Amino acid sequence: MGEALKRRLKQARFENPQHEAVLNLMVAAAYVRARIEQVCAEHGITEGQYNALRILRGAHPDGYPRCEIARRMIERAPDVTRLIDRLEKQALVERARSGEDRRLSITIVTRKGLQILERMQPAMNAVHHELIERMPDRDARELSRICESIYDVEE
């Protein structure tokens, strides 16, 4: 094991199996992210914007307040407000005031935002299919278990 990583990093040895595993995880995550970023770039948005649009699609037509979008992001964005501002400038989302609390702004995905997600879906499906072909179900479940053991700590 570790031959692909050794070739990729041009490194012959690792401190221990855990060090090698973490480096493998980082290289694999970078690979997946690059593939997704490529699809996003082809549609004029970033990976973070895609993630926010997906979240808002799940809440459509109601939308979510900014704090709920931030809580659901795959990668925690340091400034969700600016991310939403950029989506709003592209007319992919709109903001509305909550009927219950006028101080609360609700972000809603627009028809244009839903259309861009629909246009992106075939390419995203192709990326997911490429990854799925390389990973049997048993390995996928084990990878999920390991990943959760790494990041599922009390905050």
Side-chain angles (χ1 to χ4, degrees), residues 21-32:
V22 169
L23 289 173
N24 256 316
L25 180 62
M26 292 170 69
V27 169
Y31 174 81
V32 171

Side-chain angles (χ1 to χ4, degrees), residues 43 45-60 69 73 83-84 87-88 90-94 107-110 112-117 120:
H43 291 86
I45 63 174
T46 66
E47 181 185 2
Q49 291 170 331
Y50 171 72
N51 190 14
L53 288 172
R54 280 186 344 84
I55 291 165
L56 291 168
R57 178 178 58 191
H60 185 70
I69 296 168
M73 296 284 289
L83 186 144
I84 293 169
L87 289 170
E88 189 173 36
Q90 296 179 64
L92 300 176
V93 302
E94 59 189 20
T107 303
I108 302 165
V109 65
T110 63
K112 184 178 177 184
L114 293 171
Q115 288 171 341
I116 199 169
L117 287 172
M120 292 175 74

Side-chain angles (χ1 to χ4, degrees), residues 33-81:
R33 177 169 284 118
R35 297 287 291 123
I36 291 172
E37 285 174 351
Q38 178 183 4
V39 173
C40 291
E42 291 168 2
H43 291 86
I45 63 174
T46 66
E47 181 185 2
Q49 291 170 331
Y50 171 72
N51 190 14
L53 288 172
R54 280 186 344 84
I55 291 165
L56 291 168
R57 178 178 58 191
H60 185 70
D62 298 326
Y64 282 129
R66 179 186 43 80
C67 61
E68 187 61 27
I69 296 168
R71 195 176 359 264
R72 292 169 179 260
M73 296 284 289
I74 291 171
E75 186 173 325
R76 305 291 181 175
D79 194 350
V80 174
T81 301

